[in-house]
Amino acid sequence: KKKKKNLGFWHDHPKVPRAGTLPLRSSRNPFEEVSGLEEEEAGELGSLPNGTSCRRRATLEKLAGLAPFRLGWAPGRRAGSPGDGQSRSFLGRVLVPGIRRSSADFGLLARLHGTRAHGDEEAAGEAARRLAFLRLGRGSKPQRASLAERVVPAGEAAPEPPPKVPEPPKMKEPLSVLEILSLIQQRELARADEHILELEAEELAPSGGGAPGPPKAEGAGGGRRARDVALLYEALQRELWALVRETLAGPGPGACAGAGAVAQLGQVLVQEEAADGRRGPGAARKLRARWAEAVARAARERLEAAAPGAPGGLAGQLEALRARLLEDMAVVRGRLAPAYPAGLGAFGVYLRGYHGALAEWLGASARRRLPLADRYALLHWHNQVYPREVLGLVDMAALENGELGPLLSPGTLRGLEDECVTDVKAQTRAALLRVLQEDEEHWGSLEDQHSSLAQDVCELLEEHTERAPRISQEFGERMAHCCLGGLAEFLQSFQQRVERFHENPGVREMLPDTYISKTIALVNCGPPLRALAERLARVGPPESEPAREASASALDHVTRLCHRVVADLLFQELQPHFNKLMRRKWLSSPEALDGIVGTLGAQALALRRMQDEPYQALVAELHRRALVEYVRPLLRGRLRCSSARTRSRVAGRLREDAAQLQRLFRRLESQALWLDAVVPHLAEVLQLEDTPSIQVEVGVLVRDYPDIRRKHVAALLDIRGLRNTAARQEILAVARDLELSEEGALSPPRDRAFFADIPVPRPSFCLSFPLFLGRLPLSRLARPSLACLPRPRPPSLVRPRARR
C-alpha cells in the first residue's frame, strides 16, 4: 500500500516524466532533468504524504532503457562552457552531446557497441518490464476540472483563451561524421552533401566574433575536422561515380532501379557548383568536371567490355561498338538525362564521354598493323557508319560547346589511306599477273573453254574501286587512280602475250574454227576492261588521263589484231569466189557472188559469240574488205567495155551485186552505211554517156570517198572505153581539182579508207601525133588499139635493140 502511494506521487510529480511519454528525440538534456529532480527531492519535496522518504534516483541504465539519447549538439551549450571539462571522456561525450562527434570516436563507438551489445539488450528488456508495471500501477487518469471551470462561476461564459505564443523555431541539429557517412552509404547523397557543406562551413568559419566557429579540441582538432571533411568527400565521390556506372548498365542486375538516385546525383552537382563559387578558384572542388571524367571512364569500360567478344575481326568489333553506343545513348536519352537538372547538360556530357572513349579505342586500333580488310572497315566506320547511324540519331543542338571533334586526326586518316593504296597496288599487280598467266595456259589447248579473264580482272579491281568511294570522295579518287595505273600495266602485258599467241606457228596449225573461237575469246576481254578503264578515269583525278589512253591503246591494238586474224582466215576461204568476179562468166552467172554471200552468212553464226562492240567493228571491217575485194578486179581492168550495150550490162550487174551485198550486211547488222553507195557510183560512171554527167558523178564519188585518186578515175574511164582525150582531161580535171583542195586535209581514218587499199596499174597516156610521125607507119596509128599505150620507161633504163 505504501508502495502504491509512492508510485502515485512519482506519477503526479511535475518534474518527472511519465512512463512511456519520454520523446525519442528531445531537445532538452535528460541528464540535466535528472539532476534537477534530485535537487527538488532534497529540498522541495521532502517526504511523501504518507511520511515516507522519496529520495529515489534515476540511474543511467534505467534512463537509457526509458528513451535512447540522440548524440549531437544541444542548444545552449558551447565549447568551453562550464562542465565542458567533465565531458572529455567518451562517456561524457555520449551523455553530454555538446560537441559534434568526429572521426576519432568511430573506433570507440565500435568497441562500445561490441562489448555492451548484450548488456544493452538486457537493459532494454528491463525497461520494457518496468514501463508495463508502471502502467498497471498508475491506473486510469482522473478527470480534473480545468482552470477556467474553477475560476468562472457556473452559468457565466468562459473568457476567451489567451492567444498562443508561437514557439521559437527549433534549431536544426547537425549530424555527426558517422551519421553523415551512414547517409552516404544509404545513397541519401543530396542530404549527406548538405551536412558535409555545413561541416565544411564550421571548419572555415572564424572562431572569434561573428558567426560561431566549430568546437576546437586540444591539439590537432582543426586538422581532424579537415580530415573528416576530406574523407567524407572521398566517400561521397565513390558513391557518385559508382552510381554513374550502375545507371549506364541499364535496368538489369546490379543497376540502379529508378531515376531518384540520378536526381540526387544531379542535386549534389548543383550544390557543389554553388559551393565552388563561395570557395573561390583555389579551393573549388570541381565536382562537375570530375563527373564528366567519371562518365568518360564508365563509357570506356562499357565499350571495352563490348568489343573483345565480337566475332568477325575488327569489322565485328566495330559493329558491337555501334550496337552498344545506340543502346547506351537510348538509356541516356530516355532515363538518365531527364533525371538530371536541365542546367547540367547531361546528354551532352554523356555523348562527349562516349565520343572520347570511342576516339581512344579507334586510335589504339589504328596504331596497330592492320590487314587491308580491317583498314577498309575502320575507315568506312569512321567516315560513314558513325556519323550516319550514331550521330545522325542524336540531337547535336544539345551540345553546349558546339560540334564534337573528329574521332581520328587527319594525319591518322591520311596514313591509313596511304597504307591502303600501297597494299592495293602491290596486291592487284601480283593478282592480275597470276590471273593472266593462268588464263594464257588455256589459249593453246584444242579444247574450247570459256575465258573468265576479264571477269576476274574486273572483280579484283572493283573490290577496291567500289569500297573506297563509300569512305570518302578523295579516297575514292586516289584508289581509282591507283587501280587505273595497275590496269594499264596489265593491259600492256596482255597485248604482248596476245601478239605472241598469234605469231606462234603452232597456233596457226589449229583448225580454223578453234582458232577463230580462241581469237573471239580474246576479243571479248576488251569491252569490260575498256569500260572499267573509262569508269576509273571519270572517277579519278585529271592525272589519270595518260593511264586511260595507254589502256585504250592496248585494247585497240588487241582488237585490231584479232579482227585482222579473223578477217584473213575468212577471206582466205572467200578468195576463190572473188577470183571469179569481173569475167565474162560473171556477167551471165551469179555463182561467184552466191558463194561469197553463202560463206559470209555461214561464218556469221560463229561471229555472233563476239560481244556487241567488237562484233560491230568486225562486221564493218568485213563489209569494207568485201567491197574492196569486189571492186579490186574491176579497177585492174579484167573487163573492157567496148560498146554501150556492154557498159549497160556491166552496170546492171554491178547494181544487182551491190544490192545483194547490202542485204547480206544488213542481216549481219553492219553499221558501215557509207559503203553502200560506192558500187552504184561506179556503175553510173560506166553507164553514162555524156561528159558533163560523168563529171558530176565523178565529183560525187570524190566527195564521198576522199581517198580516191586520178589513177582510179583513169582506170575507170579505161574500162568504159573512153578514148577521147579532151573528154578524159575534163573528167580527170574534176578529180585533180578536188585533190588539190584537199591536200592540206587529213587523210581519212583507217576504218573509212576504201580506194587506198586498191592498187591500180600505172596510168596509160595518149601518144601525140608528131612524136611517132617519123618512126611508125600511119597505118598503125590508125588502129584504135594503139591510140593509148602504156607509159614508156625512162630512156636510161631502156636497152637499145641489137642490130642484126
Side-chain angles (χ1 to χ4, degrees):
K1 187 174 182 182
K2 181 179 179 180
K3 189 174 183 180
K4 286 184 179 181
K5 291 181 179 180
N6 291 340
L7 290 174
F9 173 77
W10 184 271
H11 171 76
D12 295 333
H13 199 282
K15 295 293 184 176
V16 179
R18 285 178 289 182
T21 61
L22 188 62
L24 293 179
R25 295 181 181 267
S26 174
S27 63
R28 302 177 59 188
N29 194 336
F31 190 83
E32 294 176 356
E33 293 181 4
V34 174
S35 300
L37 180 61
E38 290 178 355
E39 293 175 0
E40 290 186 5
E41 284 178 348
E44 297 178 3
L45 295 179
S47 61
L48 294 175
N50 57 3
T52 61
S53 177
C54 185
R55 302 184 65 85
R56 304 182 61 180
R57 296 181 181 276
T59 63
L60 175 62
E61 289 80 1
K62 294 178 180 180
L63 289 177
L66 290 176
F69 294 125
R70 176 169 180 80
L71 303 178
W73 174 81
R77 298 293 301 274
R78 296 287 186 270
S81 61
D84 186 47
Q86 301 174 359
S87 62
R88 295 297 178 89
S89 66
F90 172 72
L91 182 60
R93 287 196 297 272
V94 173
L95 296 179
V96 186
I99 301 176
R100 184 196 298 268
R101 188 169 65 252
S102 65
S103 59
D105 302 332
F106 293 172
L108 296 176
L109 285 175
R111 289 197 298 271
L112 176 63
H113 288 300
T115 56
R116 299 193 58 186
H118 182 67
D120 292 343
E121 293 177 359
E122 293 180 355
E126 183 181 354
R129 290 191 298 271
R130 183 180 295 110
L131 287 175
F133 174 74
L134 290 176
R135 291 191 190 97
L136 291 174
R138 184 178 60 186
S140 60
K141 183 177 179 180
Q143 298 291 335
R144 297 181 181 180
S146 64
L147 181 61
E149 292 176 354
R150 295 177 184 175
V151 177
V152 180
E156 295 183 6
E160 296 181 358
K164 294 183 179 180
V165 179
E167 297 180 359
K170 296 182 180 180
M171 299 183 66
K172 184 179 180 181
E173 297 181 5
L175 300 183
S176 65
V177 176
L178 186 62
E179 290 170 325
I180 296 174
L181 181 63
S182 177
L183 290 178
I184 294 174
Q185 294 173 351
Q186 296 172 8
R187 291 283 174 91
E188 297 185 17
L189 304 177
R191 186 180 169 197
D193 184 63
E194 292 176 359
H195 288 285
I196 295 174
L197 292 176
E198 291 177 1
L199 183 60
E200 185 182 25
E202 292 178 8
E203 174 66 22
L204 299 177
S207 59
K216 301 292 183 180
E218 294 181 358
R224 180 188 302 167
R225 184 70 60 86
R227 287 197 303 271
D228 291 344
V229 173
L231 292 173
L232 288 174
Y233 266 115
E234 290 180 4
L236 178 64
Q237 291 184 51
R238 281 196 299 270
E239 292 297 326
L240 290 175
W241 312 151
L243 184 62
V244 170
R245 291 192 302 271
E246 293 172 5
T247 51
L248 279 176
C256 191
V262 179
Q264 290 199 47
L265 192 156
Q267 186 177 352
V268 169
L269 296 177
V270 172
Q271 293 173 179
E272 288 296 327
E273 191 171 14
D276 283 346
R278 298 190 298 268
R279 295 183 185 117
R285 297 190 181 274
K286 301 179 181 179
L287 246 65
R288 185 170 180 179
R290 296 183 182 181
W291 167 58
E293 296 174 359
V295 169
R297 287 194 301 271
R300 189 182 308 112
E301 294 173 0
R302 295 278 295 168
L303 295 182
E304 290 177 353
L314 186 61
Q317 295 178 6
L318 292 172
E319 180 61 24
L321 288 179
R322 184 192 68 84
R324 177 59 57 86
L325 279 169
L326 294 178
E327 175 187 353
D328 288 0
M329 294 313 298
V331 171
V332 171
R333 185 188 298 109
R335 230 173 12 97
L336 302 184
Y340 282 97
L344 294 178
F347 186 78
V349 172
Y350 276 88
L351 181 59
R352 290 184 186 279
Y354 272 91
H355 185 81
L358 184 61
E360 294 179 6
W361 194 92
L362 292 180
S365 300
R367 287 188 291 270
R368 299 198 304 267
R369 179 62 182 173
L370 299 174
L372 181 60
D374 288 350
R375 281 196 217 102
Y376 272 132
L378 181 59
L379 289 171
H380 181 260
W381 199 90
H382 175 275
N383 289 14
Q384 299 296 328
V385 176
Y386 182 68
R388 182 180 64 249
E389 300 185 14
V390 178
L391 296 184
L393 304 177
V394 173
D395 184 12
M396 299 301 291
L399 298 176
E400 295 181 355
N401 300 326
E403 296 182 357
L404 298 171
L407 290 174
L408 296 176
S409 64
T412 303
L413 292 175
R414 183 73 177 187
L416 289 173
E417 292 178 358
D418 291 342
E419 292 176 0
C420 286
V421 170
T422 304
D423 288 354
V424 167
K425 184 180 297 184
Q427 293 182 12
T428 53
R429 180 183 292 111
L432 291 176
L433 291 179
R434 183 177 63 254
V435 168
L436 179 58
Q437 184 175 0
E438 292 176 357
D439 193 77
E440 186 183 12
E441 294 176 356
H442 302 290
W443 293 356
S445 64
L446 299 178
E447 299 179 0
D448 189 7
Q449 296 181 353
H450 174 71
S451 176
S452 60
L453 177 63
Q455 181 180 357
D456 296 340
V457 171
C458 291
E459 289 178 356
L460 284 173
L461 296 180
E462 287 175 353
E463 178 184 0
H464 308 289
T465 58
E466 291 180 357
R467 296 184 66 176
R470 291 199 293 264
I471 295 174
S472 67
Q473 181 179 359
E474 181 184 359
F475 184 49
E477 293 177 358
R478 296 182 61 194
M479 187 59 67
H481 180 64
C482 169
C483 292
L484 184 57
L487 179 62
E489 295 179 4
F490 166 78
L491 290 178
Q492 291 174 1
S493 178
F494 176 65
Q495 172 189 343
Q496 296 171 1
R497 301 194 182 207
V498 170
E499 291 174 352
R500 289 200 301 266
F501 170 72
H502 288 299
E503 292 173 359
N504 187 2
V507 173
R508 292 187 175 273
E509 295 178 0
M510 292 182 180
L511 295 175
D513 294 341
T514 304
Y515 187 37
I516 290 177
S517 178
K518 299 290 184 182
T519 305
I520 290 175
L522 295 176
V523 172
N524 285 339
C525 296
L529 296 179
R530 189 187 302 274
L532 177 61
E534 296 291 339
R535 185 166 63 253
L536 295 179
R538 288 194 301 268
V539 175
E543 294 81 8
S544 303
E545 186 62 23
R548 186 200 66 80
E549 293 177 356
S551 301
S553 176
L555 289 174
D556 291 341
H557 186 85
V558 170
T559 303
R560 287 195 300 268
L561 176 60
C562 293
H563 283 175
R564 186 173 68 250
V565 168
V566 173
D568 289 345
L569 289 175
L570 186 57
F571 279 93
Q572 285 180 6
E573 186 178 355
L574 292 174
Q575 193 59 42
H577 300 287
F578 283 113
N579 292 334
K580 299 177 182 179
L581 296 176
M582 308 305 164
R583 301 184 184 275
R584 294 186 179 276
K585 188 177 181 180
W586 165 75
L587 286 175
S588 58
S589 173
E591 178 184 354
L593 190 64
D594 291 343
I596 295 173
V597 173
T599 303
L600 288 174
Q603 292 294 337
L605 297 176
L607 300 179
R608 289 287 184 180
R609 291 181 297 172
M610 196 174 294
Q611 294 201 17
D612 290 341
E613 182 180 353
Y615 173 78
Q616 296 294 337
L618 176 60
V619 170
E621 176 64 16
L622 293 178
H623 193 177
R624 189 190 70 84
R625 286 192 62 174
L627 291 178
V628 166
E629 296 298 329
Y630 182 85
V631 175
R632 189 192 305 272
L634 177 65
L635 296 182
R636 282 187 175 181
R638 285 186 184 177
L639 191 64
R640 297 285 179 171
C641 301
S642 56
S643 62
R645 182 173 176 274
T646 305
R647 291 194 295 270
S648 178
R649 288 182 61 193
V650 171
R653 188 65 182 169
L654 289 175
R655 292 190 186 96
E656 292 178 3
D657 292 350
Q660 191 173 358
L661 290 173
Q662 182 177 353
R663 289 192 297 270
L664 169 66
F665 287 103
R666 286 289 183 275
R667 191 168 66 251
L668 298 180
E669 301 178 0
S670 173
Q671 302 297 326
L673 303 180
W674 61 280
L675 294 169
D676 293 340
V678 59
V679 176
H681 282 317
L682 297 177
E684 290 294 330
V685 172
L686 292 177
Q687 188 175 7
L688 292 175
E689 296 296 336
D690 56 318
T691 301
S693 300
I694 297 175
Q695 287 180 321
V696 172
E697 196 64 34
V698 169
V700 173
L701 189 64
V702 174
R703 181 197 63 192
D704 293 344
Y705 303 95
D707 60 337
I708 193 172
R709 294 295 178 260
R710 281 177 294 175
K711 60 182 179 179
H712 299 100
V713 178
L716 192 59
L717 296 179
D718 292 340
I719 294 170
R720 77 181 308 277
L722 182 59
R723 303 289 186 253
N724 190 343
T725 305
R728 289 174 65 91
Q729 294 299 329
E730 291 178 3
I731 296 172
L732 293 176
V734 176
R736 183 178 63 252
D737 294 341
L738 292 176
E739 286 180 8
L740 294 176
S741 64
E742 296 178 357
E743 280 184 358
L746 297 176
S747 59
R750 175 64 185 168
D751 56 349
R752 300 283 294 184
F754 185 83
F755 288 98
D757 291 344
I758 303 177
V760 295
R762 286 177 296 176
S764 57
F765 68 101
C766 296
L767 295 176
S768 60
F769 183 78
L771 181 61
F772 291 92
L773 183 61
R775 297 183 182 182
L776 295 176
L778 294 178
S779 60
R780 295 191 64 182
L781 290 178
R783 295 175 57 182
S785 60
L786 295 178
C788 294
L789 296 175
R791 186 181 300 275
R793 296 180 180 178
S796 59
L797 299 178
V798 178
R799 296 180 181 180
R801 182 175 299 179
R803 296 183 180 179
R804 295 181 180 178

